[in-house]
Amino acid sequence: MAKGQRLHVLRRAKLRQSWNKYNLYNLWKLKDPKIGSYDAETFFQQKWRAKGMLRAYHGEHMKERDWSRMFNRRLLSVADMDPRYMAEHDGSEKAAGRGSGKDKPPNWNAVEVKPNKITPYMNMAFAPMERRLDIAIFRAMFASSARQARQFVIHGAVKVNGKKMPFPAYKLNPGDMFQVEPEKVLYATGRPKKVSGGPTKTPSSQEAVEEEGADTEEAAPAEEGESTEPAATEAAEDAGNVDRKAITRLVKQAKHVLETEKMGVAKKRAVRSFIKQARKIQADTKSDASPIDVARRLNEMMSELKLNEAAAEPTDAEDTAAAAEGQGKKAKPAALDLLTSDELKTLAQKMKEEQDNPYDPEKPYATPWRPKDFMSPFAFIPQYLEVDHKICSAVYLRHPVARQGFAEVPTPFGYGINQLAYTWYLRRR
């Protein structure tokens, strides 16, 4: 494909194997093309249109002659049979006359006539394409497009059965395990960095920018000598919003404790010191300080005040002396006044998340890591793959098959279009 050629257009839309937002819009507005519903087109033209639509989605990044060599006339399918029935019979009556019109017609006099579920064999026309390594990586959600998966393979980020595989056209066999570098997967499926400043691109220019092997939504990592401070500052502000709100809530609660509760001098000093330290930390969240340092300082301050469940019992010397002398009621511990048990659990969970998913300006994707905005409509795994996203590896269990009512090859087009495309490739030229 020529450099600068558009892959995702809105006027004459062609569906692609990509998570691009324009492609998602094209999928949403997809309508039945009604090929063959009128006599204006010949049978050759119908097959040509159907073949073009399906090839734009299934492996448009590979040459037509390569796909023609991969095409297979045999369509794998599975017949659903009752095991109890098969134990009593040999199954020959099931296979006799299959597809020859000898099926029993439905009882039209019945109150409810159940429609016969067909087996969509023709939807398996592009089943050999699912064996390709780059397509399998895209199906396993390790890349945001088939072109990006091809790029990962060529750059040496993919292993098959423990060995580096630089060929994206490698055909997987049942039982093969492929792995992708976790950093590549995080870059492909995570949100891109926000680059502040510079001219703003219009949607039309974004469509024309995408080149082979890259997705339009993903921001490339900064080159050597290029500044990443604006993106790092915005990411730090986004990461510190939650902690800033929590600190503000703590300060308000501490002020309320000072105004309403009766406590000794040492208690008041401790609460005032807590407010002062909290304001310093809150000021650091607005500056260039890393959220990791802010969370660490907040954690140290909490540990000094003993903000946990064990702090319910008084440990202060002043409270012990006051109880011994009988001067008034025993003051409540400052920990319980400042935070409830639910707030303590929430704060501990947020700190743990900050440690597991920290902010790192050197990463080529936005940190802390979050999934892409337009990932959910494409989040499905075919049944012929066993995927473990924790270690970024998957196993190609078997070849995809067709069953009664559905086929395992993911495609946005209906049975009729797949049938016309399959008929086109059956012709030997």
Side-chain angles (χ1 to χ4, degrees):
M1 181 172 290
K3 185 177 181 180
Q5 186 174 352
R6 295 183 179 182
L7 288 177
H8 305 282
V9 294
L10 303 178
R11 183 168 297 178
R12 297 188 63 182
K14 288 187 177 182
L15 304 183
R16 310 289 185 180
Q17 291 179 340
S18 172
W19 297 353
N20 185 276
K21 59 183 178 182
Y22 302 107
N23 187 53
L24 178 60
Y25 177 77
N26 293 333
L27 280 170
W28 173 75
K29 73 171 187 177
L30 175 66
K31 297 180 180 180
D32 186 8
K34 298 181 180 180
I35 300 178
S37 60
Y38 49 92
D39 298 334
E41 294 179 334
T42 64
F43 187 48
F44 178 87
Q45 292 173 335
Q46 295 174 19
K47 294 188 295 183
W48 176 265
R49 281 187 58 195
K51 186 266 296 185
M53 295 173 63
L54 283 171
R55 281 289 290 122
Y57 179 80
H58 293 279
E60 48 83 23
H61 59 286
M62 60 181 298
K63 297 179 180 179
E64 180 70 12
R65 62 173 179 266
D66 296 335
W67 158 242
S68 299
R69 286 195 294 265
M70 289 180 59
F71 175 75
N72 192 356
R73 291 167 173 258
R74 294 180 297 175
L75 302 178
L76 301 179
S77 63
V78 175
D80 296 328
M81 296 184 178
D82 186 10
R84 179 175 299 180
Y85 178 86
M86 294 301 299
E88 298 175 356
H89 304 80
D90 58 355
S92 59
E93 68 281 357
K94 287 281 187 180
R98 180 179 291 273
S100 60
K102 293 184 178 181
D103 297 335
K104 294 181 180 180
N107 185 12
W108 300 110
N109 296 325
V111 178
E112 182 180 0
V113 180
K114 296 182 180 181
N116 293 328
K117 290 185 179 180
I118 65 172
T119 302
Y121 298 101
M122 299 304 175
N123 283 13
M124 302 295 297
F126 288 88
M129 194 79 72
E130 303 298 314
R131 292 184 59 185
R132 282 179 58 102
L133 180 58
D134 52 358
I135 301 297
I137 292 173
F138 171 71
R139 298 296 186 201
M141 296 181 62
F142 293 155
S144 61
S145 65
R147 287 176 170 267
Q148 189 180 55
R150 171 188 173 90
Q151 185 184 50
F152 289 168
V153 177
I154 294 176
H155 290 180
V158 180
K159 292 182 180 180
V160 177
N161 296 330
K163 296 182 180 180
K164 187 178 295 185
M165 177 57 64
F167 306 108
Y170 174 78
K171 297 180 180 60
L172 296 170
N173 297 313
D176 285 350
M177 184 180 69
F178 56 92
Q179 297 173 317
V180 185
E181 293 181 3
E183 285 297 322
K184 295 290 185 180
V185 178
L186 293 175
Y187 168 69
T189 59
R191 295 181 183 179
K193 280 188 174 181
K194 295 180 182 179
V195 181
S196 61
T200 304
K201 295 180 180 179
T202 59
S204 59
S205 63
Q206 288 183 357
E207 295 175 4
V209 166
E210 181 168 353
E211 300 175 1
E212 182 175 358
D215 194 89
T216 53
E217 290 182 21
E218 296 171 354
E223 298 179 358
E224 185 176 359
E226 185 179 353
S227 176
T228 59
E229 291 182 359
T233 304
E234 290 189 3
E237 291 179 356
D238 296 338
N241 284 336
V242 178
D243 293 335
R244 195 180 306 158
K245 294 179 181 178
I247 295 172
T248 304
R249 187 174 67 252
L250 291 177
V251 171
K252 289 182 180 180
Q253 291 178 356
K255 289 182 177 179
H256 179 72
V257 169
L258 283 175
E259 294 175 357
T260 59
E261 297 293 336
K262 293 181 180 180
M263 59 182 68
V265 179
K267 285 288 185 180
K268 290 183 179 180
R269 288 177 181 176
V271 175
R272 291 193 184 101
S273 176
F274 169 80
I275 295 174
K276 187 176 181 181
Q277 295 178 11
R279 285 176 175 174
K280 288 183 179 180
I281 296 177
Q282 189 176 16
D284 290 340
T285 58
K286 299 180 181 180
S287 63
D288 297 335
S290 173
I292 301 177
D293 298 334
V294 175
R296 179 178 54 79
R297 291 180 58 187
L298 187 61
N299 194 9
E300 291 177 356
M301 185 178 64
M302 295 298 178
S303 61
E304 290 178 0
L305 290 176
K306 299 179 181 180
L307 297 179
N308 46 39
E309 298 291 341
E313 298 181 0
T315 57
D316 192 13
E318 182 182 356
D319 290 341
T320 306
E325 296 176 1
Q327 297 177 356
K329 296 182 179 180
K330 182 172 57 178
K332 295 182 180 179
L336 298 182
D337 292 336
L338 295 176
L339 285 178
T340 63
S341 59
D342 294 337
E343 291 174 341
L344 283 170
K345 293 179 181 179
T346 303
L347 186 59
Q349 182 179 1
K350 290 178 180 178
M351 289 183 178
K352 187 177 183 303
E353 291 177 357
E354 181 65 28
Q355 294 176 358
D356 297 340
N357 189 14
Y359 165 72
D360 190 354
E362 297 181 358
K363 299 293 184 182
Y365 46 85
T367 53
W369 187 89
R370 294 292 183 272
K372 275 191 171 182
D373 296 331
F374 306 103
M375 177 191 289
S376 56
F378 306 98
F380 69 95
I381 304 295
Q383 294 185 358
Y384 54 86
L385 289 178
E386 185 70 25
V387 183
D388 190 349
H389 287 96
K390 293 182 179 179
I391 58 176
C392 299
S393 65
V395 178
Y396 183 79
L397 300 176
R398 52 178 173 78
H399 300 316
V401 297
R403 301 177 185 272
Q404 188 178 11
F406 69 96
E408 292 184 348
V409 176
T411 179
F413 301 100
Y415 183 81
I417 299 178
N418 282 270
Q419 184 179 20
L420 290 172
Y422 177 77
T423 309
W424 168 268
Y425 287 109
L426 277 179
R427 177 185 175 186
R428 297 291 183 182
R429 292 185 295 274

